[in-house]
Amino acid sequence: YNEYKSYLRMLRARETVHPLDENKTWPEIRDTLRHWRKENIRCSDMVAELGEYALDHYSSNLGKEKWAVYEQVCIAALDLCPARMKLVNRCIRALSEQFPSSVRVTMLEGLRLEYLKRYDEALTMYNEIISYEPTLPAPYKRKVAIFKAQNKVHDAVNELNRYLETFSGDNESWSELADIYLSQLNYSKALFCVEEMLLQYPHNHLYHLRYADILFTMGGKENLETATKYYCKAAQLNPRNVRALYGVLLSATSLCSIGKLSSKMKSDNQSLAGWAADTLEEEYKNNTENKSVLVELSAVLDKLYLRQ
């Protein structure tokens, strides 16, 4: 992941440099395209430029790899439409002639129709793919994208639920469904989605944090108590998770303000909030040289009545 971030920084630093200035020989062009394809690096302008040049000048050298480059260039060109629509059409035409019944080529055609906002035709195409190959995730996800683009939230939810009946292990889709429910303020169903994510990855501190955030937003004594536990778990899994520490601080402080809380529970939550405050201060001291930030943090903690 760190290598990937470094590579992206390098690309951004060279974003004004034409790709052919850096990759002048055929082996360099081939290896660069292979690397971008293997690592799934999405620098669309450079892929389109370099890929089109390779297809124009080194098509015979590519051999069978030519078709993978056509697909790679097509996806990159779609990102750059309308400027590169001619390139999109060229790639799809070449792939269709070589693979007339390919599902992957049909998916590319569906993406082209989406860009043209011919959503009904794209949906028909995706439905045909699902009928032919019901275990392929991509057409389901493209249908959800179309419904979201049309602001048909109910249809998007139904399609995602249909998809998750088959692909229940797809955490990204559970996350997407949770986002949609949250946008509709349907917190209980969003919680269910995050629970599914936690079942599959119980040691992911971000999922614990997300679950706690939803409970904290819902409010109420029971939800705040549960939110505090999940914030604590997130902080345990990742002690440097500042957001989790703030969550512990705020949820414990909120619980202290509830009148029905027993004296022992109130004392426990005050201690927990104090621990979170001390840990936050220590974290900021170790990671910032800006003293004004520490002064502001101390003032916030004072307003929360955590200083005795």
Side-chain angles (χ1 to χ4, degrees):
Y1 178 71
N2 290 332
E3 291 179 1
Y4 174 69
K5 290 178 67 176
S6 299
Y7 193 78
L8 288 182
R9 283 195 295 269
M10 180 268 291
L11 288 178
R12 282 193 291 269
R14 290 166 39 188
E15 61 185 0
T16 58
V17 179
H18 195 282
L20 296 180
D21 293 338
E22 294 293 321
N23 306 275
K24 297 181 180 179
T25 67
W26 156 240
E28 289 175 335
I29 293 173
R30 178 199 59 203
D31 293 343
T32 301
L33 288 171
R34 281 179 181 174
H35 176 69
W36 287 341
R37 195 162 60 244
K38 179 182 177 182
E39 299 298 328
N40 199 25
I41 296 174
R42 196 158 183 165
C43 46
S44 301
D45 52 344
M46 300 181 74
V47 169
E49 286 287 342
L50 202 60
E52 185 179 25
Y53 184 85
L55 292 171
D56 287 340
H57 296 85
Y58 298 105
S59 181
S60 58
N61 299 57
L62 283 167
K64 292 183 179 180
E65 190 178 353
K66 167 174 66 174
W67 307 113
V69 173
Y70 265 118
E71 183 181 34
Q72 180 183 12
V73 171
C74 183
I75 294 172
L78 279 165
D79 286 340
L80 304 173
C81 282
R84 305 309 304 269
M85 181 53 76
K86 288 184 178 179
L87 182 57
V88 171
N89 293 333
R90 171 191 171 183
C91 293
I92 292 178
R93 184 168 56 253
L95 289 167
S96 297
E97 290 173 358
Q98 180 68 20
F99 308 102
S101 302
S102 170
V103 171
R104 290 170 66 170
V105 178
T106 306
M107 287 297 304
L108 292 176
E109 176 62 23
L111 291 173
R112 187 184 74 86
L113 292 173
E114 284 187 55
Y115 168 75
L116 297 173
K117 296 187 178 180
R118 292 158 60 179
Y119 294 130
D120 291 340
E121 295 178 53
L123 285 172
T124 300
M125 194 168 287
Y126 294 144
N127 284 328
E128 290 175 355
I129 295 174
I130 290 171
S131 299
Y132 175 75
E133 184 57 78
T135 59
L136 186 66
Y140 293 95
K141 294 185 176 183
R142 294 316 312 166
K143 287 181 68 177
V144 173
I146 289 175
F147 291 137
K148 289 185 69 177
Q150 295 177 306
N151 200 28
K152 295 181 178 178
V153 178
H154 182 71
D155 291 335
V157 169
N158 287 341
E159 191 61 39
L160 265 176
N161 279 314
R162 177 188 173 193
Y163 169 78
L164 286 167
E165 287 177 2
T166 305
F167 304 93
S168 59
D170 189 337
N171 262 33
E172 289 184 359
S173 294
W174 282 115
S175 181
E176 178 69 21
L177 186 56
D179 286 338
I180 295 176
Y181 281 137
L182 288 173
S183 70
Q184 301 299 305
L185 306 183
N186 195 335
Y187 297 121
S188 59
K189 290 187 177 180
L191 279 177
F192 175 81
C193 295
V194 181
E195 285 169 0
E196 290 290 334
M197 296 159 66
L198 280 168
L199 282 173
Q200 296 176 54
Y201 297 96
H203 299 297
N204 189 317
H205 66 102
L206 295 175
Y207 293 165
H208 287 272
L209 181 61
R210 192 173 188 186
Y211 193 75
D213 282 341
I214 297 172
L215 287 168
F216 184 83
T217 303
M218 294 172 70
K221 181 175 177 292
E222 291 184 4
N223 287 332
L224 286 173
E225 287 176 348
T226 308
T228 304
K229 295 175 183 177
Y230 277 88
Y231 280 130
C232 288
K233 184 63 178 178
Q236 179 189 24
L237 291 170
N238 182 6
R240 300 191 62 183
N241 189 330
V242 172
R243 182 172 177 138
L245 293 171
Y246 273 116
V248 174
L249 177 64
L250 292 173
S251 58
T253 305
S254 299
L255 280 170
C256 290
S257 65
I258 296 177
K260 296 180 180 180
L261 210 64
S262 67
S263 58
K264 183 180 183 307
M265 286 291 293
K266 187 172 183 178
S267 176
D268 290 344
N269 279 289
Q270 285 177 338
S271 300
L272 190 59
W275 165 81
D278 293 339
T279 307
L280 276 170
E281 281 193 317
E282 189 65 27
E283 187 68 25
Y284 275 94
K285 286 177 182 177
N286 293 335
N287 292 282
T288 184
E289 297 179 355
N290 190 342
K291 294 183 179 179
S292 63
V293 174
L294 299 176
V295 172
E296 291 174 6
L297 176 64
S298 182
V300 170
L301 299 180
D302 285 335
K303 288 180 181 180
L304 290 172
Y305 303 104
L306 294 175
R307 295 289 188 266
Q308 300 297 328

